[in-house]
Amino acid sequence: MTSQQFKQFFSVSRWKRVAYPQVATWVMLSVVIVSGAISAAWFTGQGTISTIFRQLNMLQESPPMWIEVPMMVGHYLLFWTVLLWLGVLLITKVSPRPQPWSRVFVVGILLVLTIRYLLWRSLTTLNLSTPLNGAFSIGLFVLELLMLAGSIIQLTLLLRVRDRRSEADHASINVLNHTFTPTVDILIPTYNEPTFILKRTIIGCQALDYPHKRIYLLDDTRRSQVQELAEELGCEYLTRPDNRHAKAGNLNHAIMHTTGELIVVFDADFVPTQNFLTRTVGFFQQPQVALVQTPQTFYNPDPIAYNLGLEDILTPEEEVFYRQIQPFRDAAGGVICSGTSFVVRRSALAEIGDFFTESLSEDYFTGIRLAASGYQLVYLNEKLSAGLAAENIAAQALQRVRWAQGTLQAFFIQANPLTIRGLRPIQRLAHLEGLLHWFTSISRLGFLLIPLAYAFLGVIPIRATTAEALYYFIPYYFVQLTTTAWLNHRSRSALLADIYSLVLCFPLALTVIQTLLNPFSKGFNVTPKGETSDRFTFNLQLALPLIVLFCASALSLWMNLGVYTMSGMAHPNVPSDIAEQFKGLSLGLFWSLYNLLMLSISLLILIDAPRPSRHEWFQLRRTVRLQVDDRQFWGMTTVISEVGAEIVLTQKSVPELLDLRPVTIEIMEENLHLQAHVTISNPQPEFPTLRVTFEGLDLSQQRRLIELLFCRAGQWKSRCAPGEVRSLWLLFRILLKPRVIFDRQTRIHAIAVAQS
């Protein structure tokens, strides 16, 4: 490259990163400044502005006749709600899984109810009687619009989804009979992950049922122990002199040193099942397919479920994305590349200049550029790998903040899916829904603050009667509540989804605002993995704003209760006609009560429970034979890990095992022999239970264990989340029996493990 070419390249690159931020930031600031100027003029009584809002308030007080509630006795207003609810409930029972006909029917009802609710809110419920009421009323409506806009887009896209599992069956035939086996390079980028995590991933990749593959460990920390691990396991080791562009730069460096026709990327903690390549490679028989993405699933519970003691009940937050959102994105041509567990065509990647380096979300924008170049991105909804979820709430916050910042950098780069050339309108619509998702954290934060304005400032943000609520809000809310879990394939209830959105709403809302003002202020931060703890720890930094809100909400609830019980008396700071109209609904009372419940659960989530072991224990039944000296015992495993197992013996009395002597274990189905010693023995009269620790495992035995625990085809199943009623019961149960107080056994076990 000549000096002139270098200067030209630098100026173009600088324009890509600097000119776009100026435009987007100025647009946002202009909206804020104009809104502030209008508000200031209204508060100061400026004639024209005050007149305009006075006229708008008159329109709100005299809405069109077609939006008014019919003249019915109160309980008849619920007739349509009950009828709709029963109809939707019947559909979900007749069609337990969404089918094309049932999905269209339910989504159609939801769209009609959502638009009906939106018209009601915009034409008759805004309280513009005073500047203070008007500011909060319009602000609340804007926050709702952010939520409703994403919801309407999502419902529209849900009218058509795509399931490629049968297509994968057909495409894999030529892979299985070896008539289509392109060469594959498997890239495992690593920064600071422990070697025991890397070992799982490498061994899992080596166990893949595919002939023409090469595995590369891409070490961006240049650690000698990682190089030794690569040599021990027999995979390629690559490093580079610097860490420019973080993960994207690491992958691009590796691309220059590899030659495979297809490239597979696994994060350092993701272990594939043996059939990963046989299920995905076949799609590349179609020349327009550039990338195949599979779901992310996790073999450990996420910190929210774990801290609540619901690790066997709740599903990870990502389940909604991979069960509901990616399938309709696939139908719309807007599949998101998720950074791991995907296969990409090298030639297509080279055509767009390899992995995108101008954002923290290199995966997301690489996929956008492939789609804009006319290539097809495919989503195969099969769990063909599993990784480590964030192991504490701080790590989860760090991860989500990085995702939010990386995605919202779209507004400041040329790979913006809303403006980049080559995408169809429906593809842009799918990406718009994803961008709007991060703004809902601001809405969620606003919903916590509005009841406080009602209590402390006398603000009435919504002007509505009980009859209007029964006629417009209740049908919309109850039908949505009934169908949320059904539409997302039982991956999350609406109540639990609200908990997940609330617990990190403060850091995410701040990240959204900060990114819009200074999009490239933070660099790439790797989510820490493989950490352990032996005690409960409270994340005060994340909890502090929630504690403040909890105290303020508790006080507002007390004040709202006073207003509610003073029958016939208007709020002291509000005109009597509005207070009388609103008294039947008592928005502040119920809203404060709901917020208190959610804030209480969120504060419990921020108490990280002990994770004494860095190894996960899997519920796995296998027949075992134990050899102790010259005696044999038979049993069945209940849980197994890489370091030990729990075994229930069939003999009723085995006193010889209580002296903790060494044993030889044979896992019969796997023909695997392991040396171990008994660490815990529970000589129950019916079925004695042993906890054994493996020792002296050679590499071959470690491979067999990892393949058994992580690599079996079809082993990662989708679980169903609890429904709305059970979710509500779980929330109350958690409040009455929090893990930090009642889970003594966890703490005692953690201390015992730490001391050993």
Side-chain angles (χ1 to χ4, degrees):
M1 181 181 289
T2 65
S3 170
Q4 184 64 29
Q5 288 174 324
F6 178 82
K7 289 179 181 178
Q8 184 179 8
F9 171 80
F10 178 79
S11 64
V12 170
S13 298
R14 180 178 174 82
W15 181 83
K16 288 180 182 178
R17 287 270 309 249
V18 177
Y20 270 72
Q22 289 177 346
V23 173
T25 303
W26 277 114
V27 167
M28 185 197 70
L29 289 176
S30 299
V31 171
V32 172
I33 291 170
V34 170
S35 301
I38 293 173
S39 298
W42 191 12
F43 272 90
T44 56
Q46 201 277 335
T48 304
I49 297 297
S50 295
T51 302
I52 291 173
F53 278 106
R54 196 160 43 246
Q55 292 174 345
L56 290 174
N57 189 54
M58 291 174 60
L59 291 174
Q60 290 287 319
E61 292 176 344
S62 305
M65 290 185 63
W66 54 268
I67 203 74
E68 292 183 355
V69 177
M71 298 296 293
M72 296 181 181
V73 181
H75 60 270
Y76 284 110
L77 290 172
L78 286 174
F79 173 76
W80 299 110
T81 299
V82 174
L83 190 64
L84 274 173
W85 179 73
L86 289 175
V88 168
L89 193 63
L90 179 63
I91 292 172
T92 59
K93 297 301 180 184
V94 172
S95 175
R97 285 180 169 274
Q99 302 298 324
W101 69 270
S102 57
R103 183 187 301 107
V104 169
F105 196 86
V106 170
V107 168
I109 290 174
L110 279 170
L111 278 171
V112 169
L113 289 175
T114 303
I115 294 171
R116 180 174 175 264
Y117 171 79
L118 185 58
L119 289 171
W120 169 66
R121 281 285 285 118
S122 59
L123 295 176
T124 186
T125 66
L126 298 181
N127 182 8
L128 308 178
S129 59
T130 66
L132 185 63
N133 277 322
F136 279 95
S137 187
I138 294 173
L140 175 61
F141 183 60
V142 170
L143 295 179
E144 279 192 85
L145 279 179
L146 282 175
M147 305 280 283
L148 290 171
S151 177
I152 290 172
I153 294 172
Q154 202 173 101
L155 287 171
T156 303
L157 295 174
L158 267 171
L159 290 169
R160 183 167 173 262
V161 300
R162 193 154 192 176
D163 186 350
R164 295 186 182 267
R165 285 175 290 185
S166 59
E167 189 179 338
D169 294 339
H170 178 74
S172 65
I173 293 174
N174 289 337
V175 180
L176 291 169
N177 63 24
H178 301 294
T179 58
F180 181 75
T181 54
T183 54
V184 173
D185 290 331
I186 301 173
L187 308 183
I188 307 170
T190 176
Y191 184 73
N192 61 0
E193 294 82 4
T195 54
F196 77 92
I197 291 178
L198 294 174
K199 177 177 280 191
R200 293 175 192 160
T201 303
I202 296 169
I203 289 175
C205 291
Q206 291 173 331
L208 285 168
D209 183 16
Y210 193 82
H212 307 304
K213 63 180 186 293
R214 295 190 72 178
I215 299 158
Y216 296 84
L217 186 58
L218 318 180
D219 181 18
D220 238 8
T221 44
R222 298 166 286 281
R223 293 171 288 170
S224 58
Q225 62 268 36
V226 174
Q227 183 173 7
E228 291 168 3
L229 176 67
E231 293 171 355
E232 176 191 2
L233 298 180
C235 73
E236 305 290 336
Y237 176 80
L238 287 177
T239 188
R240 56 186 180 137
D242 57 50
N243 299 102
R244 288 190 65 219
H245 303 306
K247 180 181 174 182
N250 196 7
L251 291 170
N252 288 338
H253 175 265
I255 288 173
M256 295 187 297
H257 295 82
T258 57
T259 58
E261 298 168 75
L262 302 178
I263 295 170
V264 180
V265 177
F266 289 112
D267 279 350
D269 55 300
F270 269 80
V271 187
T273 56
Q274 291 175 327
N275 62 337
F276 180 92
L277 290 176
T278 57
R279 295 296 293 171
T280 54
V281 167
F283 285 100
F284 292 92
Q285 295 171 91
Q286 304 174 42
Q288 284 306 110
V289 171
L291 186 144
V292 177
Q293 178 67 57
T294 65
Q296 292 185 26
T297 193
F298 303 99
Y299 52 80
N300 65 318
D302 70 38
I304 294 180
Y306 188 75
N307 293 346
L308 293 177
L310 300 177
E311 54 266 40
D312 295 326
I313 298 175
L314 299 189
T315 56
E317 185 180 9
E318 289 79 4
E319 289 287 303
V320 176
F321 178 75
Y322 288 106
R323 288 199 220 176
Q324 180 187 30
I325 295 176
Q326 283 280 50
F328 73 62
R329 281 181 167 276
D330 194 4
V335 170
I336 288 181
C337 175
S338 303
T340 184
S341 308
F342 68 89
V343 190
V344 63
R345 193 188 300 271
R346 178 184 291 271
S347 59
L349 198 58
E351 186 176 324
I352 63 166
D354 297 335
F355 287 97
F356 191 73
T357 59
E358 297 299 316
S359 167
L360 298 181
S361 297
E362 81 295 328
D363 44 6
Y364 176 53
F365 294 106
T366 298
I368 288 172
R369 294 172 75 196
L370 286 169
S373 298
Y375 286 103
Q376 185 179 8
L377 278 67
V378 167
Y379 174 64
L380 176 60
N381 191 11
E382 291 184 11
K383 294 185 175 183
L384 302 173
S385 64
L388 271 170
E391 292 164 311
N392 56 61
I393 198 65
Q396 177 140 331
L398 175 68
Q399 187 182 64
R400 298 310 191 265
V401 163
R402 187 182 72 237
W403 291 353
Q405 183 185 0
T407 304
L408 293 176
Q409 285 171 345
F411 294 115
F412 309 98
I413 56 179
Q414 285 192 323
N416 183 349
L418 305 182
T419 58
I420 191 172
R421 289 185 178 181
L423 293 184
R424 304 189 308 275
I426 193 170
Q427 291 174 299
R428 299 188 195 279
L429 191 65
H431 288 293
L432 175 61
E433 184 274 333
L435 292 170
L436 287 174
H437 165 76
W438 296 109
F439 288 91
T440 59
S441 60
I442 298 177
S443 297
R444 192 64 190 84
L445 181 57
F447 296 158
L448 292 173
L449 298 173
I450 289 297
L452 305 183
Y454 174 80
F456 298 118
L457 301 176
V459 168
I460 305 295
I462 300 176
R463 182 163 47 190
T465 63
T466 303
E468 289 173 332
L470 291 174
Y471 192 66
Y472 286 104
F473 174 72
I474 297 299
Y476 161 74
Y477 181 74
F478 270 91
V479 172
Q480 186 183 58
L481 204 64
T482 303
T483 58
T484 295
W486 182 78
L487 285 171
N488 63 42
H489 299 270
R490 314 290 177 186
S491 56
R492 175 75 75 249
S493 70
L495 283 172
L496 293 175
D498 200 23
I499 285 290
Y500 273 78
S501 67
L502 171 61
V503 69
L504 296 178
C505 69
F506 264 95
L508 287 176
L510 289 174
T511 298
V512 170
I513 296 169
Q514 183 181 28
T515 302
L516 293 178
L517 293 174
N518 190 6
F520 303 101
S521 60
K522 295 179 182 177
F524 191 97
N525 292 314
V526 177
T527 306
K529 298 289 176 68
E531 298 183 343
T532 61
S533 65
D534 61 358
R535 57 181 59 87
F536 286 95
T537 55
F538 185 52
N539 194 310
L540 183 60
Q541 183 177 359
L542 291 174
L544 190 57
L546 298 183
I547 292 172
V548 173
L549 271 177
F550 181 88
C551 296
S553 298
L555 182 58
S556 73
L557 177 62
W558 179 260
M559 296 175 67
N560 290 334
L561 277 171
V563 174
Y564 185 74
T565 53
M566 293 174 66
S567 177
M569 297 180 63
H571 195 288
N573 300 324
V574 195
S576 59
D577 58 329
I578 296 178
E580 277 298 317
Q581 186 181 22
F582 198 77
K583 187 174 62 177
L585 187 58
S586 190
L587 175 68
L589 171 67
F590 296 106
W591 203 338
S592 296
L593 193 61
Y594 179 79
N595 281 349
L596 274 176
L597 172 65
M598 293 300 177
L599 285 167
S600 301
I601 302 295
S602 299
L603 289 172
L604 290 176
I605 288 171
L606 296 177
I607 305 174
D608 283 308
R611 290 185 184 251
S613 175
R614 65 181 189 176
H615 297 281
E616 293 300 318
W617 292 72
F618 298 92
Q619 294 183 358
L620 191 62
R621 302 291 187 268
R622 289 294 185 271
T623 306
V624 295
R625 180 171 60 187
L626 287 80
Q627 184 78 32
V628 183
D629 298 332
D630 58 348
R631 295 193 59 185
Q632 288 187 356
F633 301 91
W634 291 85
M636 180 74 68
T637 61
T638 55
V639 291
I640 308 179
S641 77
E642 296 164 79
V643 294
E646 186 175 84
I647 302 168
V648 176
L649 299 180
T650 56
Q651 288 90 332
K652 292 186 178 181
S653 178
V654 282
E656 295 89 348
L657 294 182
L658 300 182
D659 59 3
L660 309 183
R661 67 182 67 183
V663 297
T664 300
I665 298 175
E666 180 182 2
I667 302 177
M668 304 302 294
E669 292 88 345
E670 312 297 328
N671 192 25
L672 176 60
H673 295 78
L674 304 169
Q675 298 299 315
H677 68 272
V678 180
T679 54
I680 300 175
S681 178
N682 185 9
Q684 300 176 15
E686 190 65 29
F687 295 107
T689 303
L690 305 176
R691 179 68 68 98
V692 300
T693 300
F694 304 138
E695 55 185 19
L697 300 183
D698 59 29
L699 182 57
S700 173
Q701 291 171 320
Q702 292 177 39
R703 286 185 185 277
R704 297 282 301 281
L705 262 180
I706 288 173
E707 291 171 14
L708 169 65
L709 297 174
F710 298 95
C711 303
R712 290 171 288 117
Q715 74 174 93
W716 306 116
K717 306 294 184 183
S718 294
R719 292 188 289 115
C720 291
E724 302 300 339
V725 175
R726 191 181 176 210
S727 295
L728 187 60
W729 159 244
L730 286 172
L731 296 183
F732 281 115
R733 194 187 77 178
I734 290 164
L735 285 178
L736 296 173
K737 193 178 178 180
R739 184 170 194 171
V740 66
I741 297 175
F742 289 89
D743 197 358
R744 305 287 184 187
Q745 187 176 0
T746 300
R747 282 189 282 181
I748 292 170
H749 177 65
I751 294 170
V753 171
Q755 289 176 346
S756 64

